[in-house]
Amino acid sequence: MIDVCQPRSGTLENRILFEEDSYLRVGSSLAPDEADGKRFNFKFSSCSLKWKNFEVPLPPVGAGWGELVYLDEDLRIQRDSRCAILVASKM
């Protein structure tokens, strides 16, 4: 999975990569949570599935929050509103 977080522009894109240049892509808006400085809020804004040379848009459904647990130059650990924990490293 590739996670491209752009806090300054308020966007987040997640891609799950498959073989043969195929992927599932979800775009989201991203904003700091005013009440809790460790949290950010996201809302899905776009979604598409690409398989080989065929790409189909899907409805972007969902919103939630994420909370930074740890952050340094190379590693980000966060938990989110689905009770999931994400460990991401810089590429």
Side-chain angles (χ1 to χ4, degrees):
M1 184 167 113
I2 295 176
D3 178 39
V4 180
C5 183
Q6 302 288 333
R8 289 185 183 151
S9 65
T11 62
L12 172 66
E13 181 178 285
N14 302 104
R15 282 187 187 215
I16 299 173
L17 304 176
F18 304 109
E19 295 176 357
E20 301 183 37
D21 194 34
S22 301
Y23 57 79
L24 173 67
R25 177 178 57 205
V26 179
S28 305
S29 62
L30 181 67
D33 187 307
E34 298 296 324
D36 187 339
K38 293 189 300 183
R39 285 191 178 179
F40 57 88
N41 299 307
F42 63 88
K43 183 175 182 180
F44 301 139
S45 56
S46 64
C47 185
S48 65
L49 176 65
K50 180 178 183 257
W51 184 256
K52 298 183 181 180
N53 293 324
F54 180 72
E55 188 166 2
V56 60
L58 300 171
V61 178
W65 56 264
E67 180 176 82
L68 290 176
V69 175
Y70 178 81
L71 178 66
D72 69 17
E73 292 294 319
D74 299 311
L75 187 67
R76 183 178 84 237
I77 301 173
Q78 69 187 53
R79 68 184 190 100
D80 65 29
S81 51
R82 301 168 300 163
C83 296
I85 294 179
L86 171 72
V87 179
S89 64
K90 196 176 218 178
M91 292 181 72

